Amino acid sequence: MHISDGVLSFSVVVAGWAITLGLTAFILWRCKSKHDMAEEIPKISIMTGAFFVASLIHVSIGPTSVHLLLNGLMGVVLGVLAFPAMLVGLTLQAFLFQHGGITTIGVNDVMIGIPALIAYWMFRFGYKKGMNPSLVGALCGAFGILLSGIFLALMLISTGEEFREVAYAVVIAHLPIMFIEGVITGSVVTFLL
């Protein structure tokens, strides 16, 4: 799910950076006014580390490679702070290991971070409605991957029609990861509760 430099059109890259910087600033400003951010640092650090390590293990499938993202899990555990936490992880991966491009960090964060935010809101809604937390967590983990794959496909297709087949292949290649992440997220939710 890491998009490299030079793949996307300039307008998609700029839009990704604008959304990432704006949303990160808003989330940090909002969280700073609501609670003590120093208390959140250990939880954010552990989850960012898990995201960082899980994303380093790649399995090649056809024209793409797949890896765990843990974006649904990060959304469930960190809430809205998952978005800036992923920005840190993606930035470190881009600079240290050349996973994804430097210019596409913003796009990569949008692609992975917005599904994490949606997973958080889904989990929160399901939990408040009295649904089984483990099941809701599993659905959030799977949905985070599905939505990230769809975002990636849309970004590729918006760059050019020549990426259409690759976009479909990427979504299909991530279907097994959806199942695995659903199991992981549901299990972690069960353990934490």
Side-chain angles (χ1 to χ4, degrees):
M1 292 253 181
H2 299 278
I3 300 175
S4 299
D5 290 324
V7 174
L8 299 175
S9 66
F10 180 74
S11 60
V12 173
V13 171
V14 170
W17 274 111
I19 293 168
T20 293
L21 294 175
L23 195 51
T24 300
F26 176 75
I27 288 169
L28 293 176
W29 170 77
R30 185 96 164 130
C31 287
K32 185 179 174 187
S33 65
K34 283 192 165 192
H35 31 74
D36 184 17
M37 291 295 287
E39 291 181 14
E40 300 292 324
I41 290 174
K43 184 169 60 169
I44 293 169
S45 299
I46 288 171
M47 293 305 299
T48 303
F51 164 74
F52 181 84
V53 171
S55 295
L56 292 178
I57 303 167
H58 290 88
V59 177
S60 294
I61 298 178
T64 187
S65 65
V66 297
H67 57 82
L68 296 176
L69 292 178
L70 304 180
N71 61 343
L73 176 62
M74 288 187 66
V76 168
V77 174
L78 297 179
V80 295
L81 291 172
F83 192 85
M86 288 182 171
L87 178 58
V88 171
L90 289 168
T91 302
L92 289 173
Q93 287 174 348
F95 279 101
L96 297 176
F97 301 109
Q98 290 75 46
H99 287 218
I102 304 299
T103 62
T104 57
I105 292 171
V107 169
N108 287 331
D109 196 34
V110 167
M111 177 179 48
I112 297 170
I114 289 181
L117 297 176
I118 293 170
Y120 160 65
W121 290 315
M122 282 175 52
F123 184 80
R124 195 169 130 187
F125 176 79
Y127 191 76
K128 285 183 178 179
K129 293 293 182 185
M131 297 171 71
N132 180 323
S134 300
L135 178 61
V136 175
L139 292 173
C140 290
F143 185 72
I145 295 297
L146 175 64
L147 195 54
S148 290
I150 291 170
F151 279 8
L152 174 56
L154 291 173
M155 289 175 196
L156 289 172
I157 291 170
S158 70
T159 294
E161 286 296 315
E162 63 272 12
F163 289 110
R164 184 175 295 277
E165 288 182 23
V166 173
Y168 293 142
V170 166
V171 173
I172 291 168
H174 280 84
L175 293 178
I177 299 296
M178 278 177 45
F179 175 75
I180 294 167
E181 291 233 10
V183 170
I184 290 171
T185 304
S187 299
V188 169
V189 167
T190 301
F191 175 76
L192 291 175
L193 289 176

